[in-house]
């Protein structure tokens, strides 16, 4: 089981209604450092906190991007993506508690990149709330959503 470190938390309860990068980025330390090629593969785990809006033609795409600035947008390069998830796919894959994990591909970080973060590309009035964490891909924690009024018997 992996632990969540505050420095590896890229988004906490981030509500997304238009395409956006995660609230925070992870500094690589050295420009171009290939954190995807170590003995333990790293990635970003996106945890759905509030289910995706799926009432029309909304689409969702999760990405890992490297960037040359700490805001995650300047000089950004998409390292890996889920591809576009349709409304029907989102209804099945993006309920509260669901997890999407993407691995950082070895050798893909550009030599000028100084930060890494997650990005969610949405279209057609999409809406979702997520957490995003840098994590070891082979060690996953599952977020479990419970009803607000739970009675223990």
């Amino acid at each position: 089981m992996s632990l969540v470190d505050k420095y590896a938390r890229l988004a906490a309860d981030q509500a997304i209604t238009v395409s956006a990068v995660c609230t925070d980025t992870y500094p690589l330390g050295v420009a171009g450092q290939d954190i995807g090629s170590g003995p333990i593969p790293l990635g970003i785990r996106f945890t759905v906190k509030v289910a995706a809006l799926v009432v029309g033609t909304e689409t969702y795409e999760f990405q890992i991007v490297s960037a040359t600035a700490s805001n995650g947008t300047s000089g950004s390069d998409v390292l890996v993506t889920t591809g576009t998830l349709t409304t029907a796919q989102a209804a099945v894959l993006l309920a509260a508690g669901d997890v999407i994990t993407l691995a950082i591909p070895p050798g893909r970080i550009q030599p000028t990149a100084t930060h890494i973060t997650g990005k969610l590309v949405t279209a057609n009035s999409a809406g979702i709330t997520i957490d995003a964490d840098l994590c070891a891909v082979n060690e996953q924690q599952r977020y479990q959503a419970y009803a607000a009024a739970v009675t223990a018997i």
Side-chain angles (χ1 to χ4, degrees):
M1 173 173 66
S2 65
L3 299 175
V4 176
D5 181 298
K6 76 174 189 172
Y7 296 108
R9 169 101 343 149
L10 304 174
D13 291 320
Q14 184 174 352
I16 297 175
T17 56
V18 296
S19 298
V21 294
C22 291
T23 308
D24 293 310
T25 61
Y26 187 81
L28 296 175
V30 175
Q33 182 173 344
D34 189 7
I35 63 172
S37 64
I40 298 174
L42 295 178
I44 295 178
R45 177 183 53 242
F46 298 92
T47 304
V48 179
K49 301 296 290 286
V50 176
L53 183 64
V54 291
V55 294
T57 59
E58 303 85 6
T59 61
Y60 301 86
E61 179 181 347
F62 294 83
Q63 300 177 344
I64 296 178
V65 298
S66 63
T68 57
S70 61
N71 65 7
T73 59
S74 297
S76 66
D77 178 46
V78 177
L79 303 178
V80 66
T81 176
T82 57
T84 302
L85 301 176
T86 65
T87 304
Q89 291 169 321
V92 174
L93 299 173
L94 301 178
D98 285 341
V99 175
I100 302 277
T101 303
L102 297 174
I104 300 168
R108 283 280 291 122
I109 296 177
Q110 298 297 319
T112 56
T114 56
H115 291 79
I116 195 163
T117 194
K119 182 176 182 179
L120 187 54
V121 179
T122 64
N124 304 324
S125 301
I128 190 170
T129 300
I130 62 163
D131 284 350
D133 299 285
L134 186 68
C135 66
V137 174
N138 59 349
E139 298 177 1
Q140 295 300 305
Q141 275 179 302
R142 176 146 171 88
Y143 170 80
Q144 181 63 51
Y146 293 98
V150 176
T151 304
I153 299 176

